[in-house]
Amino acid sequence: MKWNFLTRFVALMLILVIAACQPQANNVLPTVMDVGGTDASDAATATMATALAATNQPPALPATWTPSPEPTLLASDTPVPTPETQVEGGGHLFYIFNNDSVVRLSADGASEELILVGTSPADLSLSPDGTLLAYTAEGSGSASEVYVSNLDGTYTQRISCLGFSRIVKPTWSPDGKTLVFAGSQLPDGLISIYSANFAGSGDCPNGNNQHLLGQLDQNTVDSFAWNNDGSLIFFASNAIYGINALTGEMFPPLTQPTGFGPDTSPAHNPHSPQLMYLKTKLDEKTGTKGGTIYQINSAQIETPPVKELPGAPLKAQGLRWSLDGRFLAVSGERDVWLQDQQTNTSVQVVAGANFYPQPVFSPDDSLVAYVDGGATAITIQQIFVVGRDGNNKKQITFHKEGTISDLNWSAN
């Protein structure tokens, strides 16, 4: 009897050892992939781009997963919002969390997940059709490059192949085929401006037509903006400049800064030749500096001098158009105004926020998402949604810590 018991015990242990040695499923959150060394053909890249644009249902993550490398995890007081915090908003918001991860958040706040982890993503930008995300991230060694990912992070393609220490501000063309960005070989070196296509990026620089558009005598670029038909690129580097996207011709400075600070934040109406930007001016009564809204007609920049038309002196810091081109979101340090271009009226939708609001329109332009401190912890950044009329404010994240930047809102 004793012998039979030992025999069964040894047999059972052997079975357990054999089972432990079998390959196990590895549920790992997809991370940024440096595919620059892979042999991806132009046809394969184009096929992937078509497939991404054709689907609104990205593959779901495994039920359980372990991010790699380990990110700063999302910590929420309330994982699923209560009925009082639900909002009627479609699609998903995307943002950079703690400067090390990209997050996808459902517009009603019911689900929030890390989709890209590590490699210090920055300058997140949603494609015009709302199906792809562009951003900068660490490449090989100390280099930074431009990447594009789908909306669940399962597909990532490197776009640039410069090997520079600094790459900034990738910005989509209106047709979603090309990205313009800036870079410098040294962290504080003079800026060069490049463009590259999404298709063919597996064979960079030849396959995706990566090429130099211009060399600046300054080491900063504030932001880029394409005109509505994609023929012109505008950017801010002390003054506002323009580049012919087809010929690469760079125009002389289109604006004249006041001397109190630079002209910044070019934002082009998606449906008209209306280029808005901010001009730094001094408030003589208070002694403070702030951005006054100005505009130029982008269809007339080839016949100088360009006429700069002044607008509201709101001490603004950022501008963003609605998708239909009717509303302009004007961000102050703690406030947001919406300017209606049809009625020539303004509504303040955010007042006295605890952080720079970073407003972004919903896909149907009826709502605005922005960043503020939570109701119970004003020093922790949270995402809120408010109606275009400034009513029905809702908090949709409930983090215990962390930072939020680069808000984008997709219908998908």
Side-chain angles (χ1 to χ4, degrees):
M1 192 69 180
K2 180 179 180 182
W3 174 258
N4 290 338
F5 170 76
L6 290 174
T7 301
R8 288 196 298 271
F9 177 76
V10 171
L12 178 61
M13 294 303 293
L14 287 173
I15 291 172
L16 292 174
V17 170
I18 292 172
C21 295
Q22 298 304 309
Q24 303 296 311
N26 184 23
N27 291 334
V28 178
L29 181 71
T31 59
V32 173
M33 300 175 293
D34 184 357
V35 297
T38 62
D39 186 15
S41 66
D42 291 356
T45 306
T47 301
M48 177 61 75
T50 302
L52 289 172
T55 178
N56 291 335
Q57 300 296 328
L61 290 174
T64 59
W65 44 266
T66 303
S68 177
E70 192 69 23
T72 302
L73 297 179
L74 289 166
S76 297
D77 292 318
T78 309
V80 178
T82 63
E84 289 76 21
T85 62
Q86 297 286 352
V87 296
E88 295 297 329
H92 291 83
L93 288 105
F94 297 85
Y95 64 91
I96 293 177
F97 181 68
N98 265 358
N99 298 316
D100 67 10
S101 304
V102 176
V103 174
R104 179 174 63 178
L105 168 70
S106 62
D108 61 3
S111 66
E112 190 173 25
E113 57 187 330
L114 299 169
I115 59 170
L116 295 166
V117 178
T119 71
S120 302
D123 294 335
L124 189 67
S125 175
L126 183 71
S127 63
D129 65 359
T131 62
L132 296 169
L133 296 166
Y135 53 95
T136 63
E138 296 172 357
S140 300
S142 61
S144 178
E145 300 288 2
V146 176
Y147 292 85
V148 165
S149 295
N150 63 348
L151 298 186
D152 69 352
T154 56
Y155 167 80
T156 296
Q157 174 64 51
R158 191 182 72 184
I159 303 300
S160 65
C161 53
L162 291 170
F164 286 0
S165 64
R166 181 170 55 140
I167 300 290
V168 296
K169 306 298 182 182
T171 305
W172 295 92
S173 61
D175 61 8
K177 295 181 179 179
T178 304
L179 286 153
V180 62
F181 49 93
S184 60
Q185 294 186 359
L186 300 176
D188 59 351
L190 297 181
I191 285 286
S192 300
I193 298 175
Y194 292 83
S195 67
N197 298 332
F198 171 52
S201 50
D203 182 25
C204 179
N206 298 322
N208 66 339
N209 192 32
Q210 175 184 284
H211 64 281
L212 176 68
L213 290 175
Q215 174 71 54
L216 306 184
D217 58 2
Q218 301 194 55
N219 61 3
T220 60
V221 166
D222 171 71
S223 56
F224 288 100
W226 295 73
N227 71 336
N228 50 308
D229 67 8
S231 62
L232 298 170
I233 302 167
F234 299 94
F235 65 93
S237 183
N238 190 40
I240 305 297
Y241 291 81
I243 299 176
N244 186 312
L246 303 178
T247 66
E249 175 191 3
M250 184 180 297
F251 299 98
L254 304 176
T255 64
Q256 296 294 322
T258 60
F260 296 111
D263 295 343
T264 63
S265 303
H268 201 286
N269 191 308
H271 299 290
S272 74
Q274 188 180 20
L275 177 67
M276 313 294 281
Y277 56 97
L278 298 175
K279 184 176 291 291
T280 305
K281 288 198 171 185
L282 177 68
D283 185 331
E284 295 182 355
K285 293 182 179 180
T286 64
T288 59
K289 298 177 183 179
T292 295
I293 301 174
Y294 270 68
Q295 67 174 299
I296 60 176
N297 186 335
S298 64
Q300 299 177 350
I301 64 171
E302 297 189 25
T303 57
V306 176
K307 188 174 183 179
E308 299 185 66
L309 302 175
L314 294 175
K315 297 183 181 178
Q317 296 187 6
L319 303 173
R320 192 158 191 167
W321 284 101
S322 62
L323 293 178
D324 62 7
R326 176 177 174 178
F327 298 94
L328 180 69
V330 183
S331 307
E333 184 178 1
R334 299 287 185 264
D335 310 284
V336 178
W337 298 266
L338 298 188
Q339 290 191 346
D340 187 332
Q341 303 300 300
Q342 290 186 7
T343 63
N344 198 29
T345 58
S346 296
V347 174
Q348 186 170 10
V349 296
V350 178
N354 293 292
F355 300 95
Y356 180 63
Q358 309 176 48
V360 59
F361 286 96
S362 63
D364 65 358
D365 297 327
S366 66
L367 303 171
V368 174
Y370 65 96
V371 174
D372 194 358
T376 58
I378 62 174
T379 59
I380 299 174
Q381 290 183 322
Q382 309 289 355
I383 297 176
F384 291 77
V385 173
V386 66
R388 201 175 60 202
D389 58 1
N391 295 322
N392 300 318
K393 171 183 173 182
K394 309 289 184 180
Q395 181 178 343
I396 62 172
T397 64
F398 299 86
H399 301 160
K400 293 181 179 179
E401 58 85 33
T403 61
I404 294 171
S405 63
D406 299 77
L407 273 182
N408 291 265
W409 196 335
S410 170
N412 300 300

